[in-house]
Amino acid sequence: QITLRESGPTLVKPTQTLTLTCTFSGFSLKTTGVGVGWIRQPPGEALEWLALIFWDDNERYTPSLKTRLTITKDTSKNQVVLTMTTMDPADTATYYCVHRPNSGSFFDYWGQGTLVTVSS
Amino acid sequence: DIQMTQSPSSLSASVGDKVTITCRASQDISDNLAWYQQKPGKAPKFLLYAPSFLQSGVPSRFSGSGSGTDFTLTISSLQPEDVATYYCQNYYSAPYTFGQGTRLEIK
């Protein structure tokens, strides 16, 4: 079965860079059409899609954060890494790692999420 | 960006009621619409895509319909375990935007 697990710091200071790692199992990021992405949710707010990396190394980013985000993959380790620069308290949120199936850019499996707080 | 607008923002219904949630896209997204259910403190759960195809394991009381700009999620007979916030999502084009959510409670 497909599982995803997020890992990374729970607390970062303003202006620092956040690095989150998604470790997954049950599928391969070499499979045509498959992708892994990141979605965040500030406390009490709606979901916001951030980034997606595809099996063929193509990347997609939400335009409002594009200059601050980088998504990479390591297929040998079954990992996807998201970096977000210049963190701000407004970036406080639960960050989810998600699986994109080969049938479309919806997200059929989610990690449990990791709460990242930005505070000095 | 394609904006997704859900209505209502919240609703309260009785067990056994038929419940309908609407999602409107700011432009034609064909049938590229997905629905998710999020219970308090949990990660969202994928329910349907395209928009009437039910994910394996999702109860058949959930159904979806629509095309173009207007979509609906229907629960045919509300159960206590359906208390949650429901989100629609555009996957026609990036950015893959979500609606603001509809909070469903039991009356």
Side-chain angles (χ1 to χ4, degrees):
Chain A
Q1 75 282 17
I2 290 175
T3 64
L4 307 105
R5 185 181 76 250
E6 306 87 354
S7 59
T10 58
L11 179 66
V12 298
K13 290 180 167 43
T15 75
Q16 286 186 336
T17 294
L18 171 68
T19 299
L20 293 173
T21 299
C22 175
T23 303
F24 58 85
S25 63
F27 67 96
S28 172
L29 246 185
K30 299 178 184 178
T31 302
T32 299
V34 169
V36 171
W38 290 90
I39 290 166
R40 73 177 180 180
Q41 184 174 39
E45 296 186 25
L47 302 166
E48 179 183 22
W49 172 76
L50 299 177
L52 181 61
I53 190 162
F54 293 85
W55 83 103
D56 61 357
D57 292 326
N58 275 315
E59 304 159 23
R60 296 288 186 272
Y61 297 98
T62 192
S64 61
L65 295 171
K66 183 179 173 63
T67 60
R68 299 175 52 204
L69 294 173
T70 304
I71 189 169
T72 60
K73 64 182 177 68
D74 185 335
T75 52
S76 67
K77 294 182 179 179
N78 280 357
Q79 290 182 334
V80 169
V81 174
L82 180 76
T83 60
M84 180 180 291
T85 61
T86 322
M87 292 292 284
D88 181 270
D91 297 313
T92 294
T94 296
Y95 288 76
Y96 295 100
C97 175
V98 293
H99 171 265
R100 178 212 192 261
N102 58 11
S103 41
S105 290
F106 51 86
F107 309 109
D108 55 354
Y109 292 91
W110 295 59
Q112 64 184 16
T114 184
L115 176 61
V116 178
T117 301
V118 184
S119 174
S120 54
Chain B
D1 299 3
I2 298 172
Q3 307 303 317
M4 307 301 292
T5 304
Q6 291 181 230
S7 61
S9 296
S10 64
L11 77 149
S12 182
S14 300
V15 173
D17 282 354
K18 178 180 178 180
V19 171
T20 299
I21 297 169
T22 297
C23 179
R24 175 164 288 176
S26 61
Q27 66 184 70
D28 189 339
I29 61 170
S30 186
D31 63 353
N32 296 284
L33 192 283
W35 289 97
Y36 303 85
Q37 174 194 65
Q38 185 177 31
K39 296 184 178 181
K42 300 293 187 182
K45 174 186 175 182
F46 173 59
L47 297 178
L48 303 106
Y49 70 104
S52 59
F53 288 86
L54 207 61
Q55 171 72 335
S56 176
V58 174
S60 59
R61 63 180 179 273
F62 289 90
S63 64
S65 65
S67 184
T69 61
D70 294 314
F71 303 86
T72 58
L73 172 70
T74 300
I75 306 173
S76 60
S77 178
L78 185 65
Q79 300 301 303
E81 59 266 32
D82 300 335
V83 169
T85 299
Y86 293 84
Y87 294 93
C88 61
Q89 180 228 334
N90 138 59
Y91 61 93
Y92 177 77
S93 65
Y96 305 114
T97 43
F98 289 86
Q100 81 279 15
T102 295
R103 184 175 177 179
L104 175 59
E105 298 177 337
I106 299 289
K107 195 180 292 183

